[in-house]
Amino acid sequence: MHDYFQFHSNLHSFRLFSVEHFLPMGIIIVLCTLLFIFRSKLTEKRKGRFLSFFLAILLLVSTTLEQTWLLYEHAWSLKRSLPLQLSDLSVILAFLMLLFRGKKLFQFMYFAGLGSSIQAILTPDLGRYSFPHFEYFEFFVSHGGVVLACIFMVLVFNCSPTLQGMWVTILIVNIYSGIVFFLNKWLGANYLYIMNKPKSSSLLDYLGKWPWYLLSMEMVMILSFYILYSPFWLKRMKKAGK
């Protein structure tokens, strides 16, 4: 049992697009679908508040357990363990968004939080933390929780992303990336993968060498944000045409 909690895992390397990858992705898709199906019931004040609080606590417990696990395994490090990756930071912000129903925070979370979490789920950087390691479950629970939180805000609290919100998010992400760059230089770290690419397979493998892949990342980010915004743009165009 201890093998499933070891920081230096002896398990096999996580395999992209294998059963252990498709299964959690499938569960997340099913849960998102159920949110959509039962959205009318969840708009009832009591049920909406309960699920919002449950999701918030789930995210808080998930990220707290990970930090506690790293400390227990004597593996916590300024170079690796700070929640500075956008998808990790999004877990904390999603908790605050659900707790306070922050509609301004939602604008950032819908684009940066949802976008980064989807990317993380599609190409996890898990190394040897494969099924059934603790980190495997924590990863998909936390990142899947962010996806559910953003969709929950849309379906239950009627939040809608805006084009202005998208460009403000792009500005914030770029400012944040600049700050993290200098933190990386100071700590000798690689948060946001600004200094070099991750060792595992990812989208960055197809975006050129450093530093050119940083520019490619910017283009991919803007394109992905437009894709996330497109359903709401189409909906507004349809209403305007009536």
Side-chain angles (χ1 to χ4, degrees):
M1 189 69 178
H2 180 64
D3 292 343
Y4 305 148
F5 290 89
Q6 285 182 328
F7 179 76
H8 297 290
S9 172
N10 294 319
L11 300 177
H12 66 269
S13 295
F14 179 85
R15 295 184 291 270
L16 285 178
F17 309 121
S18 61
V19 173
E20 63 181 346
H21 190 190
F22 282 125
L23 183 60
M25 284 200 297
I27 292 172
I28 293 167
I29 291 170
V30 168
L31 291 174
C32 290
T33 304
L34 289 174
L35 273 182
F36 184 81
I37 292 171
F38 295 108
R39 66 191 184 281
S40 58
K41 291 185 178 180
L42 292 173
T43 53
E44 295 175 20
K45 197 172 183 180
R46 190 174 177 180
K47 292 179 181 178
R49 281 184 175 178
F50 173 78
L51 187 54
S52 177
F53 182 74
F54 174 80
L55 272 174
I57 294 302
L58 180 66
L59 289 165
L60 178 63
V61 169
S62 175
T63 192
T64 302
L65 283 176
E66 182 184 36
Q67 293 294 313
T68 304
W69 167 68
L70 289 170
L71 288 168
Y72 180 79
E73 288 288 306
H74 306 289
W76 199 94
S77 165
L78 284 172
K79 290 184 178 182
R80 297 186 304 266
S81 309
L82 294 173
L84 294 179
Q85 299 283 29
L86 197 54
S87 56
D88 293 333
L89 179 63
S90 294
V91 177
I92 299 170
L93 295 179
F95 163 75
L96 296 173
M97 176 183 71
L98 289 168
L99 202 62
F100 299 106
R101 300 182 197 174
K103 293 196 174 183
K104 288 185 178 179
L105 182 54
F106 165 80
Q107 293 294 325
F108 177 83
M109 283 300 299
Y110 181 81
F111 293 109
L114 184 59
S116 62
S117 294
I118 290 174
Q119 178 60 40
I121 290 168
L122 289 175
T123 56
D125 184 16
L126 283 172
R128 286 188 172 270
Y129 300 134
S130 53
F131 180 86
H133 197 279
F134 160 77
E135 183 67 3
Y136 168 88
F137 289 104
E138 191 284 329
F139 179 90
F140 285 108
V141 167
S142 60
H143 292 86
V146 171
V147 174
L148 288 168
C150 292
I151 293 176
F152 180 85
M153 291 291 289
V154 171
L155 296 176
V156 179
F157 294 144
N158 296 315
C159 293
S160 295
T162 63
L163 199 58
Q164 181 184 13
M166 186 189 80
W167 285 106
V168 169
T169 300
I170 291 170
L171 177 62
I172 293 172
V173 169
N174 278 281
I175 293 172
Y176 177 67
S177 299
I179 295 170
V180 171
F181 174 80
F182 289 107
L183 278 173
N184 282 336
K185 295 283 282 186
W186 180 44
L187 296 172
N190 188 32
Y191 292 111
L192 299 182
Y193 304 120
I194 292 175
M195 316 310 287
N196 49 70
K197 298 178 184 182
K199 293 180 181 179
S200 59
S201 298
S202 73
L203 179 63
L204 297 183
D205 293 339
Y206 306 97
L207 299 183
K209 297 182 179 181
W210 192 93
W212 303 112
Y213 75 78
L214 299 177
L215 181 60
S216 300
M217 281 173 62
E218 181 81 8
M219 299 299 104
V220 169
M221 178 182 70
I222 294 173
L223 176 61
S224 66
F225 285 5
Y226 265 111
I227 291 171
L228 289 173
Y229 177 68
S230 61
F232 296 88
W233 178 79
L234 290 170
K235 184 179 179 181
R236 286 168 185 147
M237 291 299 101
K238 187 176 179 181
K239 281 187 177 180
K242 286 185 178 180

